[in-house]
Amino acid sequence: MKLRILAIALSWTCLLLSPRGAQEVHEDKPNIVLMIVDDLGIGDLGCFGNDTMRTPNIDRLAREGVQLKHHISAASMCTPSRAAFLTGRYPIRSGMVSNRVSRVISTLGAPAGLPRNETTFAALLKRQGYSTALIGKWHEGLNCDSRHDHCHHPYNYGFDYFYGMPFTLFEPCWPDPSRDTELAIGGKVWLCIQLVAVAALTAALGKLSRLICLPWSFIFSMILFIFLLGYFWFSSYKSPLYWDCLLMREHEITEQPMKAERAGSIMVREATSFMERHREGPFLLVFSFLHVHVPLPTTTEFIGTSKHGLYGDNVQEMDFMVGKLLDAIDDFGVRNHTLVYFTSDHGGHLEARVGHAQLGGWNGIYKGGKGMAGWEGGIRVPGLVRWPGRLPAGKVIEEPTSMMDVFPTLAAVSGSTVPQDRVIDGQDLMPLLQGDVERSEHEFLFHYCGAFLHAARWHPKDSEAVWKVHYVTPVFQPPGAQGCYETQYCRCSGKLVTYHDPPLLFDLTRDPSESTPLTPDTEPSYNVVIQTVANAVKEHKKSIIPVRHQISELNQGNIWLKPCCGVFPFCLCDTEGNTSAVGA
């Protein structure tokens, strides 16, 4: 008997001392891994109906977890969607919206950013003892008053560690055949500047102390040469490639400009390393993919592997990276103690194309895409949640849910509480995910295009219907097209939108493609639905407290805010490639 008691005691001691045993202590606070893809269409994944794209790892996640089939982004563009994801609030509440053409932060030289008084789920979890990291895309601002203040850095929003891109991928970032040459030339030019500066300073001191005899005009010419060389160097780098396509580790710029095709692999390595360091938990890892946004930087191993050109190759490389992250979770023995969530920030970009080659995603049966705030294709996103032992595998939920629900859900599973001093628009998903309730807590959801409300949906508590009311829709161009190909992104107001009075009405349960608007003649409930949603919109607007529109008023680039890894304007570096920073 004594031997049996001793054996039990030893087994418990070993369990507590092992990484897995340490994890048991934190069972009430699961590790959390959130994966958010950039511009992925809901129709790009096998688990959402695509039978021509290979996404085995994401499909496995769907089989092992819960699939959200009616999952909605709070905005159809990157910056406002991610702001809502982080805060659980419509972006109109935080001011991460615009009443102008641009609806995202347009450059790292702009002082726009997520206001510091907003609370993110990372900040909530950090207070609960979580180690927190953001790996990948940020796009919520960087600097306010100087290029080094980093007032909008992820560290100011609850993240302990950051590696990634403070901005976003866009066309200038890839390919860049001249990058390595410029890095080499930049180092030599900076060395030349330093030598001339030392010579000028030595000459000036010698002249003042009367040790050497040189005309002042010669010394001033040397100084003028330094300024002119710096000016011409800066002028030759007008491309956003040099100022916005960069990578940071913590507060340090590691690549300027970045080598985009290798960034994803480094991000996976950083994420794996973070999970290994904090395997005893609890930890929060937000893995924010640079994939599958144009220009679709893809490694040679994946180019040509899909049936859908470069875009398909990029999607399949992204899926491979998802597999690497899931494998790491298994390898570290934390699978059963880790909640994994997968989504996209909004719908696929229909207008992203070169010639006849499609470079954007496919939104399946849903109308519209990225930049279209009301049409379902712009805001319907994949949603997958896995937590072995706590959530049923293979469950499919058709109820309306929102990416804003992540905020209160993480608060619930971590033992935290949502802030009581502000409106939180998300709802705790755990009762729905676990099957404790059958209905979504969202009766109404509102859909904004920038600062303008374009549509709203209503899911009555006593009905299976999901009504969608459109007040404003974009004008597709050219006529007959299903996107805004002449402007690249649809507009939110002005002559390129249609204002509907009476509004358009659809029942998404019967017409998910929003192909045939209902009328009083075809829908007996038409007037009741229109009036009920109008009343809800009125009440919703009463809850909006006016704040400064960050992306309207603060979205202009300033030279003094442009990040620089050296001495401005000599800002070329690659520490990942073991190349010393220019000017460091």
Side-chain angles (χ1 to χ4, degrees):
M1 183 68 179
K2 291 181 179 180
L3 289 174
R4 186 178 179 185
I5 294 173
L6 180 61
I8 294 172
L10 286 172
S11 65
W12 273 103
T13 302
C14 293
L15 182 64
L16 290 172
L17 290 176
S18 69
R20 191 177 180 88
Q23 206 49 73
E24 295 285 353
V25 177
H26 299 289
E27 188 173 3
D28 58 327
K29 293 182 179 180
N31 301 316
I32 296 163
V33 176
L34 310 178
M35 304 183 204
I36 179 168
V37 187
D38 203 358
D39 287 17
L40 179 70
I42 191 171
D44 291 329
L45 303 177
C47 52
F48 283 87
N50 193 314
D51 58 2
T52 61
M53 196 93 78
R54 293 195 301 273
T55 55
N57 296 295
I58 299 170
D59 298 345
R60 171 165 64 96
L61 192 60
R63 291 192 303 272
E64 296 172 350
V66 179
Q67 189 172 0
L68 303 174
K69 298 292 286 290
H70 196 135
H71 203 42
I72 303 298
S73 168
S76 60
M77 299 289 281
C78 304
T79 299
S81 168
R82 290 161 185 270
F85 172 66
L86 287 163
T87 64
R89 289 154 51 83
Y90 287 109
I92 189 72
R93 299 193 191 279
S94 61
M96 295 300 282
V97 294
S98 170
N99 56 18
R100 301 175 186 175
V101 172
S102 179
R103 286 176 271 157
V104 299
I105 293 176
S106 59
T107 172
L108 287 177
L114 185 65
R116 295 274 290 276
N117 62 354
E118 289 293 328
T119 300
T120 70
F121 54 68
L124 288 185
L125 268 60
K126 186 173 182 178
R127 295 178 199 140
Q128 294 297 310
Y130 276 74
S131 300
T132 59
L134 171 66
I135 309 292
K137 173 176 172 173
W138 173 236
H139 208 186
E140 297 296 317
L142 185 60
N143 297 319
C144 291
D145 299 312
S146 75
R147 65 174 49 92
H148 300 297
D149 66 24
H150 294 178
C151 65
H152 294 305
H153 190 281
Y155 280 13
N156 293 317
Y157 302 93
F159 291 102
D160 297 323
Y161 184 74
F162 171 65
Y163 175 83
M165 196 173 185
F167 192 53
T168 180
L169 281 177
F170 62 132
E171 285 80 356
C173 294
W174 185 79
D176 174 38
S178 62
R179 174 184 178 275
D180 294 337
T181 302
E182 288 160 347
L183 283 169
I185 294 174
K188 292 179 173 58
V189 171
W190 174 242
L191 178 60
C192 176
I193 288 285
Q194 290 177 304
L195 292 174
V196 175
V198 170
L201 179 62
T202 302
L205 291 175
K207 177 74 172 178
L208 291 172
S209 60
R210 298 182 180 180
L211 294 176
I212 59 175
C213 182
L214 284 173
W216 280 110
S217 59
F218 178 76
I219 298 173
F220 286 134
S221 296
M222 297 173 71
I223 297 172
L224 180 62
F225 172 78
I226 294 172
F227 281 102
L228 287 175
L229 187 57
Y231 172 77
F232 288 124
W233 178 265
F234 174 72
S235 299
S236 66
Y237 291 101
K238 293 290 188 183
S239 170
L241 166 71
Y242 304 100
W243 309 110
D244 292 322
C245 301
L246 55 89
L247 292 172
M248 297 179 70
R249 177 177 287 106
E250 299 184 306
H251 284 287
E252 177 191 0
I253 298 173
T254 60
E255 293 184 51
Q256 187 177 8
M258 63 191 285
K259 198 162 188 173
E261 68 270 18
R262 74 180 180 190
S265 300
I266 299 175
M267 285 165 47
V268 170
R269 186 182 71 203
E270 290 281 340
T272 303
S273 176
F274 172 81
M275 289 191 285
E276 184 174 24
R277 293 196 305 272
H278 300 284
R279 62 197 299 176
E280 295 186 7
F283 64 76
L284 164 70
L285 169 63
V286 179
F287 194 90
S288 180
F289 283 90
L290 302 184
H291 296 60
V292 291
H293 197 291
V294 291
L296 306 172
T298 308
T299 59
T300 55
E301 290 79 6
F302 282 89
I303 290 179
T305 60
S306 79
K307 298 178 181 179
H308 297 279
L310 186 59
Y311 180 80
D313 301 342
N314 204 245
V315 170
Q316 293 186 174
E317 183 175 51
M318 177 273 296
D319 177 80
F320 173 79
M321 293 176 178
V322 170
K324 287 290 187 182
L325 296 176
L326 296 179
D327 288 346
I329 292 171
D330 291 346
D331 292 343
F332 299 143
V334 296
R335 174 190 173 92
N336 292 338
H337 308 287
T338 302
L339 186 157
V340 178
Y341 169 80
F342 176 93
T343 192
S344 173
D345 55 356
H346 47 67
H349 190 187
L350 301 181
E351 298 89 351
R353 57 193 306 152
V354 175
H356 296 287
Q358 181 66 28
L359 300 180
W362 183 49
N363 299 312
I365 63 172
Y366 302 109
K367 187 174 186 175
K370 177 179 180 177
M372 306 180 207
W375 294 125
E376 205 72 358
I379 51 179
R380 183 79 72 110
V381 295
L384 302 172
V385 190
R386 187 188 78 177
W387 188 2
R390 298 294 293 272
L391 300 181
K395 182 173 183 176
V396 176
I397 294 177
E398 301 280 357
E399 289 286 296
T401 58
S402 169
M403 287 175 62
M404 295 184 292
D405 297 339
V406 170
F407 182 96
T409 302
L410 296 192
V413 301
S414 67
S416 183
T417 56
V418 299
Q420 302 300 306
D421 62 344
R422 65 198 66 193
V423 175
I424 300 298
D425 298 296
Q427 301 287 343
D428 177 11
L429 282 176
M430 286 305 293
L432 185 64
L433 294 173
Q434 292 178 312
D436 297 333
V437 300
E438 297 296 326
R439 302 284 295 192
S440 168
E441 291 294 318
H442 289 291
E443 184 175 4
F444 297 97
L445 284 169
F446 306 97
H447 309 301
Y448 282 85
C449 186
F452 306 96
L453 191 144
H454 274 203
R457 78 184 62 210
W458 176 34
H459 185 36
K461 295 181 180 179
D462 58 352
S463 170
E464 295 300 318
V466 179
W467 303 104
K468 181 93 164 287
V469 177
H470 290 262
Y471 300 101
V472 186
T473 57
V475 174
F476 291 156
Q477 0 83 24
Q482 291 300 304
C484 301
Y485 292 94
E486 293 178 358
T487 56
Q488 280 295 300
Y489 294 100
C490 290
R491 300 293 188 253
C492 297
S493 62
K495 296 180 179 179
L496 290 179
V497 301
T498 301
Y499 299 90
H500 299 283
D501 187 13
L504 303 180
L505 175 64
F506 302 91
D507 179 2
L508 296 178
T509 56
R510 291 179 285 168
D511 183 14
S513 300
E514 299 173 284
S515 60
T516 308
L518 299 171
T519 68
D521 294 331
T522 60
E523 176 50 58
S525 303
Y526 180 90
N527 291 323
V528 172
V529 173
I530 294 297
Q531 189 58 54
T532 302
V533 175
N535 293 340
V537 168
K538 184 177 179 180
E539 290 301 310
H540 165 71
K541 287 185 174 180
K542 286 181 182 178
S543 73
I544 305 297
I545 299 173
V547 294
R548 190 176 195 181
H549 289 178
Q550 295 284 320
I551 308 175
S552 296
E553 304 174 33
L554 300 173
N555 208 18
Q556 293 77 39
N558 301 289
I559 292 175
W560 60 88
L561 296 182
K562 294 180 182 293
C564 182
C565 62
V567 176
F568 188 84
F570 301 97
C571 306
L572 304 182
C573 62
D574 180 7
T575 59
E576 294 294 347
N578 297 320
T579 303
S580 299
V582 178

